[in-house]
Amino acid sequence: MDQNRNVGFRESEFVATEVKEPPCSEVEFKLTGSNGWIIKAEELKIMLSGVVKPEELKVLMGVRSPKIARFKLGLLVSTMVLVLWACTIPLTTLDETPGRRSLRHRTSFLLSQERVYKNRGYLMISSNGGLNQMRSGISDMVTLARFLNVTLIVPQMDNTSFWNDRSEFHDIFDVDYFIKSLRNEVRIIKELPSQQKRRLETIPLYSMPPVSWSNLSYYSNKVLPLLEKYEIIHFTKTDARLANNGLPEEVQKLRCRVNYEALKFTPAIEKLGKKIVRLLREKGPFLVLHLRYEKDMLAFSGCNEGCNDKEVEELRIMRYDYPWWKEKEIDSEMKRKAGLCPLTPEETAIALKAIGIDPKIQVYIAAGDIYGGQRRMSVLKAAYPNLVKKETLLPPSDLEPFQNYSNQMAALDYLVSLESDIFVPTYGGNMAKVVEGHRRYLGYKLTVNLDRKILVHLIDKYRNGTLDWNDFSESVKVAHANLMGNPTQRLKIPHKPKEEDYFYSNPEECL
């Protein structure tokens, strides 16, 4: 079966919906009249100055009555004001420092026309995971809704995960912006229409988890017939449900547009994120360290480097308390040597020094509570004394509305991470990957991807005296010379999607 059967993705059609923005200096204003005319901005300026007499104006406007001419001119002026407004509104940024490229939200999306298509059903989705896993999953679901020509219901967020965050979509993202910015691609509504709600009162909702890492043929051959049969289907999972590779370029570009443009945080989150960036900028450049040395990650991964016996047992008990964490008995040292553990704060301090990060730079910790507290942070604090986090930069009253919502707090860290001079993740989790890709999208901003397998090997040799500091530092610099977020091809491994590079960490089709 043709994978494009009855679906909304054909290359020529998809390209046609892309918004092309002319420079404001080239904008022409046109109203359709009896004879059709185009009035340029300069000509309109002359009309508005009063130089053109009523009799001349009615000829220019193609009407018989001066009053009608003035009325049409008024309509034209109103149109001009709207267009100029769209041209002159500054792009949304978090960092207002002159000359810096920053986070962009295109006004043109909000002014684009709604795409009209034959609706083939309704797609409801329940996102799963933390903020960034859900963010990427939602981006895929929007893209699939566009491909299938269905109406998407605003996503439900995961309220049952480890973090127990009860936030809904509108608590994290600007839902109206999300809907309007994508209306030239896909129809998104906040809830099912009343007719479909009544239908679900008599017929059970068909729910399913899509197969992970699927290509478009799976959705056209397996999912589309279900939509035709049930009209409404519910995806119970959204994480990694679309392949990294082998998709049309236009599909990949829409994934980027959703993730990096349409999923804008709420005004309250954006405002506070902007304040954090401003406070940091006032004191100079800053590095964001995504230090994933947190209790949940250590328990889940089985990594316990540097922990005492009591902590090791505490992590083991926590791992057994969560039945959906499949691995229970884990060899921590073996995982560490394989590069599968988050770097410890002590290892991170050594790595940053070896790479040559200025010890005077501000280091913003984008993370929750570090396991072991100040005892484990002392080495990093000694090496980089200008350690800060949002809790030390802001008064408690600023954070209070977000305090009990881990995804909203993570959104603040996400915004600060995008705007940092340097971004350094210590583990390859979802935030690390999505932020890396977003920073590439913003112009290949410096992201240091620490190679944990190489680092722990070199650190152990340095600690046991096999390598002196100079040789150690040189080896670390050489190993990371091409791991700075610079342009590179995404690693593709056929039939092994978990082992290849994640699309959202390096969306090269969009760069």
Side-chain angles (χ1 to χ4, degrees):
M1 183 182 294
D2 181 3
Q3 74 172 25
N4 288 327
R5 180 185 70 86
N6 291 334
V7 295
F9 190 101
R10 286 188 295 275
E11 184 172 347
S12 59
E13 178 194 359
F14 208 98
V15 173
T17 63
E18 185 178 351
V19 177
K20 298 290 186 180
E21 295 181 70
C24 292
S25 60
E26 298 176 8
V27 170
E28 292 183 336
F29 305 95
K30 179 178 180 179
L31 292 176
T32 303
S34 58
N35 55 354
W37 64 89
I38 293 177
I39 301 176
K40 295 184 178 180
E42 190 60 33
E43 295 169 347
L44 186 60
K45 180 179 177 182
I46 295 172
M47 289 184 187
L48 294 174
S49 68
V51 173
V52 181
K53 296 179 181 179
E55 290 298 315
E56 296 171 332
L57 179 61
K58 71 179 186 180
V59 174
L60 282 171
M61 301 300 287
V63 297
R64 296 179 180 179
S65 168
K67 289 185 178 180
I68 296 177
R70 284 293 176 189
F71 175 73
K72 285 199 170 184
L73 181 59
L75 289 178
L76 188 57
V77 171
S78 298
T79 303
M80 184 187 83
V81 170
L82 285 173
V83 175
L84 289 179
W85 173 79
C87 289
T88 56
I89 281 184
L91 297 176
T92 302
T93 64
L94 287 176
D95 176 17
E96 297 176 339
T97 307
R100 290 184 55 83
R101 188 176 184 185
S102 192
L103 191 59
R104 306 165 296 176
H105 296 299
R106 297 180 182 173
T107 307
S108 63
F109 293 162
L110 299 181
L111 301 176
S112 59
Q113 290 187 346
E114 182 177 355
R115 175 173 170 259
V116 178
Y117 58 95
K118 181 181 178 182
N119 179 41
R120 299 194 173 277
Y122 296 86
L123 177 61
M124 303 176 68
I125 65 171
S126 293
S127 303
N128 61 298
L131 172 67
N132 295 290
Q133 184 170 307
M134 290 192 287
R135 181 187 185 107
S136 298
I138 290 168
S139 301
D140 289 346
M141 294 300 109
V142 171
T143 303
L144 290 171
R146 168 64 170 86
F147 171 71
L148 295 169
N149 272 341
V150 298
T151 296
L152 179 70
I153 312 302
V154 168
Q156 295 177 339
M157 307 304 274
D158 190 343
N159 299 144
T160 62
S161 65
F162 168 84
W163 298 276
N164 196 30
D165 187 332
R166 310 304 295 179
S167 298
E168 297 297 341
F169 186 93
H170 65 265
D171 297 316
I172 301 172
F173 299 108
D174 186 333
V175 63
D176 292 325
Y177 184 91
F178 175 69
I179 293 171
K180 291 177 182 177
S181 67
L182 292 166
R183 66 185 176 185
N184 68 337
E185 297 290 359
V186 65
R187 184 176 178 230
I188 304 173
I189 57 179
K190 294 182 180 179
E191 58 182 359
L192 277 174
S194 55
Q195 181 179 345
Q196 279 67 37
K197 286 182 179 178
R198 288 193 297 270
R199 176 186 174 93
L200 291 181
E201 292 174 1
T202 57
I203 301 174
L205 176 63
Y206 185 87
S207 297
M208 62 176 287
V211 174
S212 298
W213 310 109
S214 293
N215 57 25
L216 294 181
S217 63
Y218 165 79
Y219 288 95
S220 60
N221 296 338
K222 301 293 185 182
V223 175
L224 187 59
L226 293 172
L227 278 162
E228 293 171 343
K229 180 179 180 179
Y230 296 103
E231 185 187 16
I232 310 163
I233 63 172
H234 170 223
F235 285 169
T236 56
K237 290 184 180 295
T238 61
D239 62 314
R241 304 294 145 167
L242 191 56
N244 291 314
N245 303 296
L247 303 175
E249 184 174 309
E250 288 73 24
V251 168
Q252 303 289 55
K253 286 183 176 179
L254 181 55
R255 296 171 85 179
C256 291
R257 177 177 162 187
V258 180
N259 204 330
Y260 308 138
E261 302 278 1
L263 284 173
K264 177 182 177 184
F265 293 118
T266 64
I269 292 174
E270 294 260 346
K271 181 180 179 181
L272 192 56
K274 182 177 180 179
K275 180 177 180 179
I276 296 172
V277 171
R278 187 181 71 248
L279 291 172
L280 289 164
R281 284 264 169 256
E282 287 173 353
K283 296 183 179 180
F286 67 96
L287 175 151
V288 166
L289 182 63
H290 183 41
L291 188 60
R292 196 67 170 93
Y293 199 79
E294 297 154 299
K295 186 177 181 180
D296 65 295
M297 174 52 67
L298 299 179
F300 170 76
S301 64
C303 299
N304 53 39
E305 175 72 11
C307 296
N308 58 38
D309 291 343
K310 180 181 178 181
E311 290 169 335
V312 170
E313 179 62 14
E314 184 179 47
L315 294 173
R316 189 190 69 81
I317 292 172
M318 183 179 182
R319 185 162 60 254
Y320 274 88
D321 283 344
Y322 287 89
W324 52 88
W325 291 354
K326 296 179 181 180
E327 285 189 274
K328 300 302 180 183
E329 292 300 320
I330 301 173
D331 186 329
S332 174
E333 184 58 23
M334 185 174 69
K335 285 197 75 170
R336 175 177 175 270
K337 289 185 180 299
L340 300 176
C341 287
L343 293 178
T344 68
E346 297 88 350
E347 290 169 340
T348 302
I350 295 173
L352 294 179
K353 287 177 64 178
I355 289 172
I357 300 296
D358 186 348
K360 296 179 181 178
I361 196 171
Q362 296 174 97
V363 176
Y364 176 93
I365 304 295
D369 294 331
I370 303 304
Y371 193 57
Q374 292 303 314
R375 175 178 64 85
R376 297 305 302 274
M377 291 293 287
S378 59
V379 172
L380 182 59
K381 178 72 173 177
Y384 292 90
N386 294 322
L387 282 183
V388 295
K389 52 184 181 177
K390 52 187 173 293
E391 291 82 0
T392 61
L393 288 169
L394 298 171
S397 57
D398 280 357
L399 287 173
E400 200 224 342
F402 313 100
Q403 198 70 57
N404 297 319
Y405 303 97
S406 61
N407 287 326
Q408 296 180 46
M409 294 287 274
L412 292 171
D413 284 343
Y414 186 97
L415 290 172
V416 180
S417 298
L418 287 187
E419 293 299 318
S420 64
D421 297 282
I422 309 172
F423 176 65
V424 183
T426 62
Y427 185 71
N430 288 297
M431 178 171 174
K433 293 174 182 177
V434 178
V435 169
E436 177 190 356
H438 203 156
R439 287 173 65 86
R440 288 177 183 272
Y441 184 78
L442 293 175
Y444 295 103
K445 302 177 77 170
L446 180 57
T447 299
V448 181
N449 290 299
L450 298 174
D451 188 318
R452 298 184 301 280
K453 184 175 181 179
I454 291 176
L455 274 174
V456 297
H457 173 70
L458 292 174
I459 287 171
D460 288 347
K461 292 182 74 173
Y462 169 66
R463 284 174 170 170
N464 66 26
T466 307
L467 280 178
D468 63 23
W469 176 260
N470 290 335
D471 289 340
F472 167 71
S473 179
E474 181 63 25
S475 297
V476 170
K477 289 174 181 175
V478 169
H480 291 84
N482 294 317
L483 298 177
M484 300 290 179
N486 42 302
T488 183
Q489 286 192 328
R490 194 167 59 245
L491 176 64
K492 302 173 184 178
I493 305 177
H495 312 300
K496 294 184 178 181
K498 290 184 179 180
E499 298 179 24
E500 65 185 5
D501 287 346
Y502 187 42
F503 170 75
Y504 289 108
S505 68
N506 183 13
E508 57 183 282
E509 297 89 339
C510 310
L511 306 180

